[in-house]
Structures are given as structure tokens and as C-alpha cells.
Amino acid sequence: MAAQIIDGKAVSAKVKEEVRQQIEREGLDVGLAVVIVGDDPASRVYVNNKKKACEVCGIKSYEYALPAETTEEELLELVDTLNADKNVNGILVQLPLPKHLNEEKVIERISPMKDVDAFHAANVGKIMIGNYAFLPCTPAGCMELIHSAGIDVSGKECVVIGRSNIVGKPMAMLLLHENGTVTVCHSRTKDLKEVCRRADILVAAVGRANFVTADMVKDGAVVIDVGINRGEDGKLCGDVKFDEVSEKASFITPVPGGVGPMTIAMLMKNTVMAKKIQS
Ligand code: NAD
């Protein structure tokens, strides 16, 4: 039987509407600064989408588009200015940065209270111990999608493919917080297919088109596809071979229209949270 598609567009619209209503109800004045360095086209698209979401939610967005040759000092200076700016509740530095800039150093300079991506070591540490204000947007968005489908993670075999700091590792942690039995796979994992076939909940965050095939998926599994890739036809696609896996899974997220829109919706939620913890 074909899987039910978890509609990330619909769930994200609901989250953004809740954020909008909260801002209106509580009369909040919320601001998000988005910093983009250079002219990476994908980053440009993400930044524009973030600006649009801010408009929908009633969050003021301040964009800082810096040239690719911006020095680290200049970028850190801007972060300092934004840290001190009372109108700015959240600071997001769009990654990846040009090669000559040290991403870790830049992230560490953002005030943890304004770190709406939750990439700062202080926030990552809080996530580890389960006492956090912000959750990283993409894994939090995946959890929201899982919840929206009425799936209880507790006691389930969860397999995450990918161990990046941005997606794989925090994703594993959030599943663990909800009492999943979690395995993290990566490029050195042996028998990946066998490990994946154990999963009741399979999260793919690899960055390779059509990487997850039906023979890697257990009948009735929930499949969350984080990947954003270009297929051979030039079209946007995930890590999961959707046509065949959707015949086997019970629930599946599409690309586009799955995790992607959720990431932005969770960013909006984090920005309001930032406002609350700062006031
Ligand atoms: P990354 O390159 O940092 O990490 C990829 C991970 O995949 C690594 O941990 C690596 O060990 C693992 N991997 C690579 N080859 C493998 C193999 N053969 N077998 C098993 N594991 C393997 O990427 P990332 O930043 O975590 O992003 C992953 C994907 O998610 C990308 O397509 C990215 O564009 C996408 N992404 C989407 C969103 C969103 O909002 N939907 C947000 C962030 C990232």
C-alpha cells in the first residue's frame, strides 16, 4: 500500500500561523537579522524564503548582504553590532560561508540568546542535556512532521543516516529525548542496508540523490527525507528514491514540500522564543 505523504507545506503553514497569532496576541515586536556573505544562489533562495516567512509571521527582518571578499574581522564586527542591537532578537548567518571565513568562529561570536539556528556550542550543550530554549530548525522540523502524523517515537527503532552537526547529530538527540532507540549511520557504517532495514523511523540526511532505495526500508516504516539535491534531470529531489520507497513506507515526506518548509517555520518559532528569553 502506498505511504501517506506528510505535507510539510501544510504543517509549516500551521506553525507559522501559530507564530503570527502569538505575536499579535502578545503584541510582540520581534526582529530577525539574516546575514549572507557572497552570492551562492542556493543561499540566496533560502534567505529570500526566510524573509518571506518573516513577513507572513509579522517578524521584522533585517538583511545584511555582504560581498564575498568580506574579511572575518568585518563579519565579526557586524555580529557584535547585531548582538548589541535591541531590535534584533535573532541572528542567522547563512552557511556555508566563503572558504576564507571560519564558520565556527563566527557562530561562536553570536550571542547564545540570539542564536536562533541553535548552532552555538552553548546551545548544542543544552540540547545534549535536554534543557534548551532553541532546537536546531531542521531536526525540530522533522520532529514536528513526525508528531503531525500522530507517530509516537517512544520505544521505536530510529535510524538516522548522516552525522553532521546541523542535522544528523541533533536529530539523533531529539529522537532519543522522545525515547527512541537510536542508531546513527555515516559514511563508514558497515551493512548500511541491514541497519536501515531495522528502522521504524528512518531519517535520511546524506545529501545524495536517490540514496535510500526500497530494499533499505522496512515495510511500514516512517521515512523522513532531509536531503536537498539536484537529480540528473536538474530537478530538486531528496535522498530517498521516492517512487519505490513510498510503496513500502507507511508515511513519507516529499522533496520539495517536506522538511524544507519546516526548517523555516521552526526558525520563526525560535525567533519568537529568542524575544521571550531576552525580555
Ligand atoms: P553533510 O554533508 O554535512 O553530512 C552528510 C552526512 O552523510 C555525513 O555525516 C556523512 O557521514 C553521511 N554520508 C555520506 N555518505 C554516506 C554513505 N555513503 N553512507 C552513509 N552515510 C553517508 O550534510 P548535512 O548538512 O547534514 O545535509 C545533509 C542533506 O540535508 C543535504 O542534502 C542538505 O542539503 C540537506 N539539508 C536540508 C535542510 C532542509 O531544510 N531540508 C537543512 C540542512 C541540510
Side-chain angles (χ1 to χ4, degrees):
M1 223 180 73
Q4 281 192 46
I5 293 173
I6 307 179
D7 184 348
K9 268 196 195 161
V11 181
S12 72
K14 190 164 162 265
V15 171
K16 284 187 285 189
E17 177 56 18
E18 282 164 9
V19 170
R20 192 194 67 75
Q21 284 180 13
Q22 185 186 2
I23 289 174
E24 197 178 73
R25 192 174 55 243
E26 299 180 21
L28 301 173
D29 196 2
V30 188
L32 173 68
V34 180
V35 181
I36 176 169
V37 187
D39 48 13
D40 177 53
S43 293
R44 189 68 253 171
V45 172
Y46 296 146
V47 166
N48 287 345
N49 289 342
K50 286 166 189 173
K51 272 169 70 176
K52 269 188 226 153
C54 282
E55 270 168 39
V56 169
C57 295
I59 293 175
K60 292 194 183 78
S61 69
Y62 307 99
E63 186 186 314
Y64 296 84
L66 308 181
E69 54 279 7
T70 301
T71 65
E72 199 165 277
E73 239 171 66
E74 287 167 334
L75 182 55
L76 292 174
E77 235 171 71
L78 173 60
V79 171
D80 288 342
T81 306
L82 297 173
N83 279 339
D85 187 340
K86 290 220 160 17
N87 294 319
V88 170
N89 304 108
I91 303 170
L92 182 146
V93 177
Q94 185 65 46
L95 303 180
L97 289 172
K99 291 271 175 290
H100 67 283
L101 300 170
N102 182 337
E103 284 183 357
E104 205 182 318
K105 203 165 162 188
V106 175
I107 289 166
E108 289 307 297
R109 191 71 158 246
I110 298 172
S111 157
M113 300 234 292
K114 295 192 176 184
D115 169 40
V116 283
D117 261 334
F119 291 164
H120 191 289
N123 287 323
V124 174
K126 286 184 172 187
I127 292 157
M128 281 289 285
I129 56 175
N131 171 22
Y132 43 76
F134 309 121
L135 289 177
C137 301
T138 301
C142 293
M143 294 309 293
E144 198 81 24
L145 289 177
I146 291 170
H147 297 154
S148 78
I151 295 148
D152 183 11
V153 175
S154 185
K156 300 261 162 56
E157 285 280 351
C158 305
V159 174
V160 179
I161 324 176
R163 59 171 162 186
S164 71
N165 289 334
I166 293 174
V167 189
K169 280 188 212 165
M171 186 70 224
M173 205 49 63
L174 300 195
L175 290 164
L176 189 59
H177 285 326
E178 295 198 10
N179 303 316
T181 302
V182 184
T183 306
V184 182
C185 298
H186 45 79
S187 52
R188 310 273 178 93
T189 297
K190 290 194 180 127
D191 300 329
L192 182 71
K193 190 176 20 171
E194 289 315 308
V195 179
C196 290
R197 281 169 70 93
R198 292 207 302 257
D200 300 311
I201 299 174
L202 180 64
V203 181
V206 188
R208 289 198 191 183
N210 297 324
F211 183 83
V212 176
T213 46
D215 58 349
M216 296 166 74
V217 177
K218 176 164 133 179
D219 271 323
V222 175
V223 179
I224 307 291
D225 190 351
V226 183
I228 302 179
N229 313 296
R230 292 262 166 216
E232 279 167 10
D233 54 4
K235 282 193 189 148
L236 212 62
C237 67
D239 289 346
V240 176
K241 209 165 185 182
F242 186 87
D243 290 349
E244 57 179 63
V245 173
S246 61
E247 289 299 316
K248 228 172 159 187
S250 58
F251 290 94
I252 189 166
T253 65
V255 178
V259 176
M262 289 309 296
T263 297
I264 297 182
M266 301 319 278
L267 173 70
M268 300 297 109
K269 216 171 157 172
N270 279 353
T271 307
V272 176
M273 174 58 77
K275 169 76 185 179
K276 302 283 271 188
I277 62 173
Q278 287 157 33
S279 36

